[in-house]
């Protein structure tokens, strides 16, 4: 069984760098979408307009991806040789592109139901076909492989925006909805795994870094796609992992670093005077910290700390000893990462059996 440690070695990555990438994302420093939230569509307006897989591949996917490469790259010709196969009845739905060697072209295996998400999936899998052929079947590290696929989705979005605005709105919603899977659940699972490098590896852990890398590369136009797609085993050198990790060092936190535990000094004293500029504010702050102090004594508070021990969020809950249940009373994430805090809270919210109130890179 492969572990997170094995996965890091395969990609020549350091856990500390990836934790910094996740911190930068949680604090909103890394874009995960090319449109602002208020620009996103509310409905999939073009759901009924898509026809056969072959027609959509020819009309949208091939020209969209070819537009991102030099004219003499042969990308359109490579894609036009693609073969398709449907999942057989009873199979678990898992789209994939199968490399059949140098004699036969890769085959794209997926269900086609004429939905906008199917078109996005088709572009995603077509990118795998491209990187397999352009790299001469040289195995690409999974993060880089998925970065190529997400870049293809962005190429499709850009092409359709110019040529079919109604469909573009539907595809933009697909991207936004799939962010919930790629950048919430999967990202939080990766964050958990980076705290214990013996955690078993799962393929979905590649998606968050690939998604963020694709958006960053696409927005900056800082790379030749032909170089990335043809790089094979050396593809990681083209990804902006270090650049994204460096964003964490530039962040302006609202709060200073949490001090080391000191039995003679309350942790709350460190923050007691924040924003207490007048008597009214001081009164509000006193009430707030009195409540929080009670939660500390009851061990019903969790403080989510970043890798460098700065508070990222806070949650409190109340216990009902009669039926051994509890109820969340506060969940605050000023920098984002609400789902991450909720997951940490679900693990922590149980009868206290430890005096530890915070730990390095872990919930408190």
């Amino acid at each position: 069984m492969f572990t997170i440690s094995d996965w890091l070695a395969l990609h020549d990555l350091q856990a500390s760098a990836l934790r910094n990438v996740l911190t930068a994302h949680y604090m909103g420093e890394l874009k995960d979408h090319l449109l602002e939230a208020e620009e996103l569509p509310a409905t999939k307006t073009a759901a009924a307009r898509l026809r056969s897989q072959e027609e959509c591949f020819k009309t949208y996917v091939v020209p969209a991806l070819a537009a991102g490469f030099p004219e003499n790259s042969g990308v359109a010709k490579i894609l036009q040789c693609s073969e398709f196969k449907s999942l057989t009845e009873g199979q678990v739905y898992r789209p994939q592109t199968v490399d059949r060697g140098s004699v036969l072209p890769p085959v794209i295996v997926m269900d086609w139901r004429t939905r906008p998400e199917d078109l996005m999936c088709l572009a995603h899998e077509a990118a795998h076909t491209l990187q397999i052929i352009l790299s001469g079947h040289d195995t690409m590290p999974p993060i880089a492989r998925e970065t190529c696929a997400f870049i293809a989705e962005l190429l499709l979005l850009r092409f359709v925006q110019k040529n079919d605005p109604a469909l573009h709105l539907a595809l933009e919603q697909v991207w936004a909805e799939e962010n919930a899977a790629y950048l919430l659940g999967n990202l939080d699972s990766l964050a958990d795994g980076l705290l214990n490098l013996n955690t078993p590896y799962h393929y979905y852990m590649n998606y968050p870094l690939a998604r963020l890398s694709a958006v960053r590369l696409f927005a900056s136009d800082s790379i030749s796609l032909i170089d990335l797609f043809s790089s094979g085993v050396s593809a990681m050198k083209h990804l902006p992992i270090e650049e994204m990790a460096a964003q964490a060092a530039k962040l302006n936190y609202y709060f200073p670093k949490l001090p080391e535990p000191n039995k003679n000094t309350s942790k709350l004293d460190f923050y007691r005077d924040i924003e207490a500029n007048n008597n009214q504010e001081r009164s509000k702050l006193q009430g707030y910290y009195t409540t929080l102090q009670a939660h500390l004594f009851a061990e019903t508070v969790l403080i989510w700390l970043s890798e460098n021990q700065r508070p990222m969020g806070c949650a409190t809950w109340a216990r009902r000893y009669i039926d051994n249940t509890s109820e969340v009373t506060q969940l605050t994430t000023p920098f984002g990462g609400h789902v991450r805090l909720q997951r940490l809270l679900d693990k922590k919210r149980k009868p206290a059996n430890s005096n530890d109130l915070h730990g390095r890179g872990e919930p408190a």
Side-chain angles (χ1 to χ4, degrees):
M1 179 180 294
F2 293 106
T3 66
I4 294 293
S5 181
D6 299 323
W7 174 73
L8 290 171
L10 173 65
H11 290 89
D12 194 22
L13 293 172
Q14 298 296 318
S16 57
L18 299 194
R19 285 194 287 265
N20 282 334
V21 172
L22 301 191
T23 295
H25 173 66
Y26 283 130
M27 295 190 67
E29 293 298 311
L30 302 179
K31 294 183 64 176
D32 55 33
H33 204 290
L34 297 182
L35 292 182
E36 299 300 328
E38 58 269 18
E39 298 179 86
L40 295 179
T43 58
K44 295 188 181 78
T45 56
R49 300 179 61 248
L50 298 179
R51 298 184 181 178
S52 71
Q53 184 179 34
E54 291 76 11
E55 181 179 350
C56 287
F57 190 73
K58 178 180 179 180
T59 304
Y60 297 113
V61 175
V62 173
L65 271 60
F69 292 80
E71 290 185 5
N72 61 353
S73 63
V75 163
K77 184 177 180 180
I78 292 172
L79 290 172
Q80 287 164 359
C81 295
S82 297
E83 295 185 15
F84 306 99
K85 181 180 179 181
S86 297
L87 293 168
T88 60
E89 186 176 354
Q91 278 187 302
V92 176
Y93 180 70
R94 184 176 177 271
Q96 56 187 296
T97 299
V98 181
D99 185 354
R100 300 187 293 176
S102 59
V103 177
L104 296 173
V107 60
I108 295 173
V109 183
M110 62 173 287
D111 279 341
W112 179 260
R113 306 177 188 176
T114 72
R115 304 170 302 175
E117 47 264 54
D118 298 328
L119 180 58
M120 192 75 91
C121 179
L122 187 57
H124 185 106
E125 297 303 326
H128 289 317
T129 291
L130 273 184
Q131 54 92 185
I132 288 170
I133 298 299
L134 292 175
S135 67
H137 303 267
D138 190 16
T139 302
M140 185 177 286
I143 294 175
R145 183 162 63 235
E146 295 305 328
T147 297
C148 290
F150 287 135
I151 286 177
E153 294 184 24
L154 295 172
L155 287 170
L156 175 65
L157 283 169
R158 184 169 67 182
F159 175 82
V160 174
Q161 184 178 27
K162 296 178 181 178
N163 297 282
D164 194 336
L167 178 57
H168 174 253
L169 292 178
L171 292 177
E172 283 287 356
Q173 189 192 10
V174 171
W175 179 278
E177 290 176 350
E178 292 183 349
N179 270 350
Y182 291 125
L183 294 175
L184 291 179
N186 289 342
L187 188 143
D188 288 340
S189 295
L190 175 58
D192 290 340
L194 290 172
L195 296 175
N196 179 4
L197 300 187
N198 290 321
T199 299
Y201 159 76
H202 193 286
Y203 194 84
Y204 60 65
M205 294 176 176
N206 297 293
Y207 292 127
L209 294 168
R211 190 83 160 181
L212 295 172
S213 295
V215 172
R216 194 168 188 87
L217 289 173
F218 194 82
S220 65
D221 290 325
S222 62
I223 186 175
S224 163
L225 293 187
I226 194 70
D227 290 341
L228 171 60
F229 278 65
S230 62
S231 57
V233 70
S234 63
M236 290 302 296
K237 68 182 181 181
H238 295 293
L239 268 55
I241 303 295
E242 292 184 6
E243 178 186 336
M244 293 191 295
Q247 297 301 307
K250 302 176 183 179
L251 297 176
N252 294 318
Y253 289 85
Y254 295 163
F255 305 115
K257 180 180 178 180
L258 195 72
E260 293 298 323
N262 186 331
K263 64 181 180 180
N264 298 319
T265 304
S266 167
K267 297 177 181 65
L268 295 180
D269 289 339
F270 197 67
Y271 296 109
R272 192 176 298 281
D273 294 326
I274 295 176
E275 297 181 0
N277 298 321
N278 54 56
N279 290 335
Q280 182 178 6
E281 289 298 322
R282 193 172 292 114
S283 176
K284 292 180 181 178
L285 200 60
Q286 182 178 7
Y288 173 79
Y289 281 115
T290 298
T291 300
L292 188 53
Q293 182 77 71
H295 280 290
L296 282 170
F297 283 127
E299 297 186 13
T300 55
V301 61
L302 178 149
I303 302 173
W304 169 23
L305 302 179
S306 69
E307 178 70 9
N308 59 1
Q309 297 296 284
R310 295 185 185 273
M312 299 285 289
C314 177
T316 59
W317 65 95
R319 292 197 185 108
R320 291 192 291 267
Y321 291 97
I322 295 177
D323 55 4
N324 197 32
T325 60
S326 61
E327 179 181 0
V328 177
T329 57
Q330 178 189 4
L331 197 68
T332 303
T333 54
F335 314 114
H338 180 90
V339 174
R340 172 64 174 164
L341 180 58
Q342 181 65 61
R343 285 168 58 89
L344 295 174
L345 179 61
D346 291 342
K347 293 181 180 180
K348 184 74 174 181
R349 196 172 58 176
K350 57 186 178 181
N353 56 10
S354 171
N355 292 323
D356 295 335
L357 291 179
H358 65 86
R360 190 168 302 280
E362 298 182 349

